[in-house]
Amino acid sequence: PLLSLSERERERARERERRMEESGLNPDFLERSAISLRNAVKQGYLTKEGGKGLKRNWKKRWFILQGDYLYYFTDDAAKKPQGVAPLADYSHCEATSSSTAKYGFRLFSNATKDKEAGGAKKRVYLMAAAKSTERDAWIEAISGALKKIHNVQNLYGRAAERVEASIYMKLGETKFKEEKERDLFANVFADRIQKGRTPTMWKSSRPIFDQEFEFTIQPDSQTLLVQLKDQRKKNKIVGRVILPLSEFNDQQMHSGWYPIMPSVNSVILSGQVKLQCLFVDEKIQVRIMAAQDLSSQDSSGLAAPYVVVGYGNQKHQSKVAKKTLNPIWAGEEASFNLIDDDSIPIVVEVYSQKSDKADKDKDKERLGTERDFMGEVILPLELIRQANGEAKFYELKDKQREETGAASEGDIRLTVQLREAVILQDNLYDALFGVLMVDDMDVTKKFASVVVNKERPVAEALVKSFEMRASATHYVKTMTRNEVDATSDPHIIFRGNTVATKSVDMYMRLIGMPYLHYLLREPVQEIYAAGSKRSCELDPLRLDESSEKKRAVLLKKNLKTLVRYVDLIWSSLQQSFNVCPGKLRQIFHWVQSKVRAKFGDDTLSRYTAISGFFFLRFLCPALLTPKNFGLLDVHPPSNVARDLTLIAKTIQNLASLVEFGKKEPYMHCLNDYITKNFTPMKAFLDKLASIPTSPIDEIPSKRSTTNWGREMARVHFHLSDSFDAMRATYGVTDIRIVELGEILAILDEEAEKVGGKVKSRRFYQNGNSSRPSSMMLAKVPGLKKKKPKMSLAVSGNRPVANSVGAQHMRSGKDHPARRSGSSPTPQPMHLTKASSSKQSKKRHDRSPSPSPSPSPSPARPARAPSLALSPPGGSIPPLAYDTEGNCASCNLTLNATEESVMSMGKRWHKACFVCSECGKEIRGPFVNNAGVPRCLSCQPKSQVCARCELPIDGGFLQIGSHAYHSACFTCHLCQAQMGTNEIFGYLDPESGVNVAICINCEKKQTK
């Protein structure tokens, strides 16, 4: 098969992805095993009604209530849940009884309380217990969890606040004491849940992974594990690093060399054992009660655990519990004579007995044992005395290194940070977002300049936050312009790992992944399917052929294969610039224009600046690690990975407009191909960096599922973490940094209300954690008026000037049309300064401003049906703020120093009045797209004339969101045919509707 998954498995994977997207769950929730859910509020077997319609049935399921979620599994050892019910979507739980469910109860969704509430339909769960007492216990537990959730929601709203713990980890260089070639890769685990995997470093003795991971963890997580495997030896574990999370509680960045310890087991140890220890006369009694969450040891996912308790030379072995990971021994007792030496501890070891004779014989030959080690607990006598006879659970750990005498296998460079962020309600982050936007993003640029060793997570949080407020394009432009201004050598521009370059990386992934799949998925899958049948290897030292003549024939054949694959991708690229997302082309155009303006004398920088982003940071990494970019479902084997590496090298050299040099002489045979394509590559890069002048059939971006509150909570964390560095670099009196400190202090106060004793990570003012005083805003002298410009929207079947009849900036004057009954002259959209007359509010007052009473307006005819698609960016938070003195986009106060735009009944910063699709500043006609502007180049074409409602076969005029036959688009007054450059808005005095008129009629109206 082409890929490892069957079509049926693919369909199941798509169904699981759909379930996650509908429920809004983190993907980890559907990957958790039953044994990984610790400290559950309640767990046990229930029967659950399933199926649909007439095919309803009852099945026994293992239910676990933990936190805000109710999981159900096929049994208590299942590796993945059958389903997860987010309790925030459910209202109440009550008992019910029927012939099929004597001790039943129902869990009702919020939607069932009000069927007219709308929104996604949530299911009602019907479950049944074996006894009435068991049913009542489940109802009490679930109702308690629901009450806790609803209390938070009632206090803070539907977007319930929560505390989220996450880990940032970067894997660097690996050094083994025994230097030999390995095909090494690393798996990263949080407890027993895999969070990531690095690509395989083929034939390397000191591999450098250079891989970053960021993932959420559960509140009860205990350890991180980095597991190193050698793919050459059938994924044998060659070492591991165990990191207790308690070492990172300070939430600081920890970077250093960590020892790689040999692995005792092929599985990850986990679980707890419950013991009761007593001193009775001259004896120590150890009662073995139970164990829970043990690691599976056989093919069925279970184990046969037993306990060995040792004290000096005295030992006791418990009975074997069959086929379980949660054994109960019910107080089986081990009694030992007390030894005079108090330094000798009690050692409790848990093992699993082999059930299969073949496994026994194999393990006895290999390990000298017929059992699997599952963990141990070492109990010093002093700890036993402190327990005072109380039965307690103890965490099982791996065997101590001192006992086994094993030394480390080597070291690995790791960077780790634990982050605990309180995610607040979205509107509480408005002030923080506002201070990141103002003064040409001054605070954002200062923040980025002091970030060290965490450029990627900072860039990811910023890009996603700005994208959800339709400002990511503006953010990326600002950061890249700042990078260009700070670079003196054109040959190194955008080559470093900064927040700016990582932001472009993240934005390309966020917006351009469907485009990347369109380009590379088929070629990469063809290369993967070919496997060992074809090769691109050009290095003679890597070929197995000993005959020089045969080697030459093979090299010629491999060169032909390599050129074919490169040409396949290159040809696809040359034909694809018109399906590249417009937002990316907008960024590339901006970057190229800034580079040309600064390095005009350098003829190559205009090209290498674009290729450095698109090829070096996007396309070529996808070829090198196709699984990480979703091009393959598995990591490729060594021969395919080598072919993809050579293809990526060739394409990168072509994009960089350089030939292969002395470092790789075996690649010189490709230099003719590269130089021949220099001119086409320059033409392609120029096209990629041009703004579309006509409608394009771009590949739509995937609908975003980004949670704005979560990303802003991460921005809050990183800003707090870097605040001291910002003050040290730019001074404690910097007005914007003082303002930032005030906002961070307010957010910390709100976080404490939600998360309890959440440690404040930084002092925000001269070592004092109290909130700084509010800033005093300076008054600015008189303002200059700007030349007005017109924007177009569509009303009914006719285009209109968007600001005709619109309100002026609130300055105490009425609109001319309201002061008199005469017909007003066409009014353009106004660019004006915000009034500085009154500032009765604090700058960052988070309480909602009272909305001004809407002015009466004449009834409008129904709009022509729009065929516009939903924005590719997906769920953008509401931008409809109509509060006096606040920008409709960023919700920041409009002060006296800032230009603003009045349009669509709202006020905007001039810099914020940009297209919601491409981020380009609105300077001419645009479309009112559900309250936000969209430029005409981003507006999809309609297929039906908005006036005659007949199909359009040939040429047409695109006006706003509507298309017209050329003959149908006429002046409202004289019926003369018009073009798009002749449109003027006019308020018809008879109908009170804004209409379109030609230039001649406009002149008559203004006389």
Side-chain angles (χ1 to χ4, degrees), residues 360-413:
K360 285 183 181 180
D361 297 341
K362 182 178 179 181
D363 282 354
K364 189 168 184 178
E365 179 182 352
R366 180 171 61 92
L367 303 172
T369 180
E370 296 180 1
R371 61 189 185 182
D372 285 324
F373 177 73
M374 301 181 74
E376 71 174 4
V377 176
I378 297 179
L379 300 174
L381 297 190
E382 182 61 30
L383 184 64
I384 295 175
R385 291 189 179 97
Q386 291 175 4
N388 198 25
E390 180 184 356
K392 298 176 65 176
F393 274 104
Y394 296 92
E395 193 78 19
L396 290 171
K397 297 183 179 180
D398 203 347
K399 281 187 177 292
Q400 299 296 311
R401 298 295 114 201
E402 295 81 12
E403 183 180 358
T404 60
S408 68
E409 301 283 348
D411 300 286
I412 182 171
R413 182 83 178 181

Side-chain angles (χ1 to χ4, degrees), residues 153-170:
Q153 291 180 353
N154 292 336
L155 184 60
Y156 297 104
R158 185 80 176 98
E161 282 81 353
R162 59 204 181 277
V163 179
E164 180 185 80
S166 62
I167 292 291
Y168 167 77
M169 178 182 287
K170 181 176 181 180

Side-chain angles (χ1 to χ4, degrees), residues 871-895:
S875 51
I876 299 175
L879 301 179
Y881 296 83
D882 196 19
T883 55
E884 184 172 1
N886 285 8
C887 173
S889 176
C890 66
N891 199 30
L892 181 70
T893 303
L894 287 157
N895 61 40

Side-chain angles (χ1 to χ4, degrees), residues 406-481:
S408 68
E409 301 283 348
D411 300 286
I412 182 171
R413 182 83 178 181
L414 298 177
T415 301
V416 184
Q417 185 179 29
L418 169 66
R419 300 165 184 162
E420 291 182 352
V422 178
I423 302 173
L424 302 173
Q425 195 174 2
D426 286 2
N427 68 319
L428 295 180
Y429 294 112
D430 288 343
L432 179 59
F433 186 78
V435 81
L436 295 174
M437 287 287 292
V438 296
D439 290 348
D440 194 28
M441 296 190 173
D442 179 61
V443 169
T444 308
K445 290 186 286 190
K446 289 175 179 176
F447 170 41
S449 68
V450 300
V451 170
V452 179
N453 292 332
K454 54 178 183 178
E455 290 83 359
R456 181 182 177 275
V458 168
E460 181 177 359
L462 287 170
V463 166
K464 289 182 177 179
S465 299
F466 281 105
E467 176 64 13
M468 293 304 290
R469 285 295 174 96
S471 307
T473 305
H474 177 55
Y475 160 73
V476 175
K477 285 181 179 180
T478 302
M479 299 303 292
T480 52
R481 182 191 64 203

Side-chain angles (χ1 to χ4, degrees), residues 495-538:
R495 297 289 172 171
N497 286 325
T498 64
V499 173
T501 56
K502 291 293 184 181
S503 293
V504 180
D505 294 356
M506 180 52 57
Y507 194 60
M508 287 190 294
R509 290 198 182 201
L510 194 65
I511 300 299
M513 288 299 283
Y515 172 57
L516 184 76
H517 288 184
Y518 169 82
L519 289 174
L520 296 183
R521 175 167 282 173
E522 289 187 6
V524 168
Q525 291 185 356
E526 180 183 336
I527 296 167
Y528 177 78
S532 57
K533 296 178 182 178
R534 297 175 184 171
S535 174
C536 300
E537 186 56 70
L538 298 181

Side-chain angles (χ1 to χ4, degrees), residues 32 34 36-46 62-71 73 87 134 136-149 218-220 272 292-293:
R32 302 206 69 182
S36 71
L37 293 168
R38 301 180 180 178
N39 303 326
V41 176
K42 187 167 180 58
Q43 56 186 335
Y45 279 106
L46 296 170
W62 178 261
F63 279 80
I64 297 179
L65 174 62
Q66 185 187 59
D68 297 345
Y69 298 91
L70 180 65
Y71 303 79
F73 302 80
L87 295 182
E134 187 178 350
D136 295 342
W138 272 104
I139 292 176
E140 182 181 357
I142 295 174
S143 297
L146 289 172
K147 183 177 179 181
K148 181 180 177 181
I149 295 170
Q218 297 302 310
D220 56 353
Q272 298 170 310
Q292 64 181 16
D293 299 340

Side-chain angles (χ1 to χ4, degrees), residues 684-963:
F684 169 75
L685 292 172
D686 279 336
K687 289 178 180 178
L688 196 65
S690 63
I691 298 177
T693 56
S694 59
I696 61 174
D697 187 23
E698 69 176 73
I699 304 295
S701 302
K702 186 178 180 180
R703 184 176 178 85
S704 174
T705 57
T706 301
N707 183 299
W708 190 73
R710 173 187 290 173
E711 300 307 325
M712 285 302 296
R714 292 175 177 176
V715 172
H716 173 205
F717 178 94
H718 292 306
L719 279 168
S720 299
D721 206 33
S722 303
F723 188 74
D724 286 348
M726 294 174 68
R727 292 178 63 199
T729 305
Y730 297 102
V732 296
T733 59
D734 184 287
I735 190 170
R736 289 301 179 195
I737 293 181
V738 172
E739 182 180 7
L740 174 64
E742 177 178 351
I743 294 170
L744 293 177
I746 293 172
L747 289 174
D748 277 356
E749 290 178 10
E750 295 293 335
E752 288 180 9
K753 296 176 185 177
V754 177
K757 297 291 183 180
V758 178
K759 183 171 69 172
S760 179
R761 290 175 292 277
R762 287 288 181 270
F763 295 128
Y764 297 117
Q765 189 179 29
N766 298 328
N768 184 0
S769 61
S770 61
R771 187 189 310 174
S773 58
S774 299
M775 293 190 312
M776 297 299 293
L777 299 178
K779 292 185 178 180
V780 178
L783 310 171
K784 293 183 179 180
K785 294 183 178 179
K786 296 292 181 178
K787 183 179 179 181
K789 295 184 179 181
M790 183 193 295
S791 295
L792 292 180
V794 175
S795 176
N797 291 338
R798 295 183 180 275
V800 298
N802 193 51
S803 56
V804 174
Q807 297 177 358
H808 279 210
M809 300 300 294
R810 295 181 180 90
S811 57
K813 296 181 180 181
D814 293 347
H815 189 279
R818 296 194 179 93
R819 293 199 304 268
S820 65
S822 60
S823 301
T825 56
Q827 294 292 331
M829 174 181 68
H830 283 279
L831 293 179
T832 177
K833 298 279 186 176
S835 172
S836 61
S837 58
K838 292 184 179 181
Q839 292 189 11
S840 58
K841 293 185 189 179
K842 291 183 179 179
R843 181 173 179 81
H844 290 288
D845 183 8
R846 297 186 313 283
S847 58
S849 305
S851 300
S853 57
S855 302
S857 57
R860 290 174 176 261
R863 294 174 64 91
S866 173
L867 301 178
L869 299 175
S870 300
S875 51
I876 299 175
L879 301 179
Y881 296 83
D882 196 19
T883 55
E884 184 172 1
N886 285 8
C887 173
S889 176
C890 66
N891 199 30
L892 181 70
T893 303
L894 287 157
N895 61 40
T897 63
E898 296 168 307
E899 292 182 345
S900 63
V901 176
M902 183 66 186
S903 182
M904 298 180 286
K906 307 169 191 175
R907 293 172 60 180
W908 317 66
H909 287 106
K910 182 183 176 183
C912 293
F913 195 68
V914 296
C915 173
S916 59
E917 298 294 327
C918 66
K920 180 181 177 182
E921 185 178 350
I922 301 294
R923 295 181 177 273
F926 71 96
V927 180
N928 183 343
N929 178 37
V932 292
R934 178 191 285 171
C935 66
L936 298 187
S937 61
C938 292
Q939 181 67 17
K941 294 181 181 179
S942 302
Q943 303 300 318
V944 178
C945 177
R947 186 169 187 180
C948 67
E949 299 184 351
L950 294 176
I952 298 175
D953 297 324
F956 64 95
L957 294 176
Q958 182 77 33
I959 309 297
S961 62
H962 301 280

Side-chain angles (χ1 to χ4, degrees), residues 256-313:
W257 291 95
Y258 290 81
I260 302 171
M261 306 307 295
S263 180
V264 177
N265 288 71
S266 59
V267 298
I268 303 169
L269 303 183
S270 69
Q272 298 170 310
V273 60
K274 189 174 184 179
L275 304 168
Q276 183 182 28
C277 300
L278 302 168
F279 289 96
V280 180
D281 296 330
E282 295 298 319
K283 293 181 179 292
I284 299 178
Q285 290 181 357
V286 180
R287 293 177 180 171
I288 307 166
M289 313 296 289
Q292 64 181 16
D293 299 340
L294 299 179
S295 54
S296 60
Q297 299 292 332
D298 57 27
S299 58
S300 66
L302 299 174
Y306 64 92
V307 177
V308 176
V309 184
Y311 179 51
N313 295 326

